[in-house]
Amino acid sequence: MGKNIEQLKKQIRQYACQIVERDENEIDDNVLSLILSDSVIALEFVCLLEDEFEIEFDDDEIDLDFFSNFTNISQLVEKHLVG
């Protein structure tokens, strides 16, 4: 996992903090379950990522694996950023 992924992961964790209104110290991969448990919050999180990174996820990319951990999300964001 490269430095770029780690930077993306940090940014994505910060966005998750905004969505669930928690301090970054309280955020781990389990917060993704909290986000996923509310479809409106999940949609807000995905839209926030798309807006902030100026990307668009394909519908089939947003599944349970997407919300399993910040590394998966970061890798998918990087894939869209690269091309």
Side-chain angles (χ1 to χ4, degrees):
M1 195 173 350
K3 184 177 181 184
N4 198 31
I5 288 288
E6 290 302 320
Q7 291 171 337
L8 283 174
K9 192 189 303 188
K10 183 175 181 179
Q11 283 181 277
I12 292 166
R13 286 172 61 89
Q14 290 171 342
Y15 297 142
C17 289
Q18 290 175 13
I19 290 292
V20 297
E21 299 177 351
R22 298 225 173 128
D23 186 83
E24 191 169 350
N25 297 331
E26 300 174 45
I27 299 293
D28 60 16
D29 286 340
N30 293 329
V31 78
L32 294 172
S33 296
L34 177 63
I35 291 172
L36 185 59
S37 70
D38 184 321
S39 60
V40 173
I41 292 174
L43 182 59
E44 287 177 7
F45 181 63
V46 170
C47 290
L48 177 64
L49 295 177
E50 288 180 328
D51 290 345
E52 292 296 324
F53 292 108
E54 298 179 358
I55 60 174
E56 189 171 326
F57 296 114
D58 296 329
D59 290 342
D60 63 343
E61 293 176 312
I62 308 303
D63 56 13
L64 292 177
D65 286 337
F66 177 85
F67 286 98
S68 64
N69 59 60
F70 286 105
T71 300
N72 286 357
I73 298 171
S74 302
Q75 289 172 340
L76 187 57
V77 168
E78 182 183 49
K79 175 184 155 190
H80 281 275
L81 290 173
V82 170

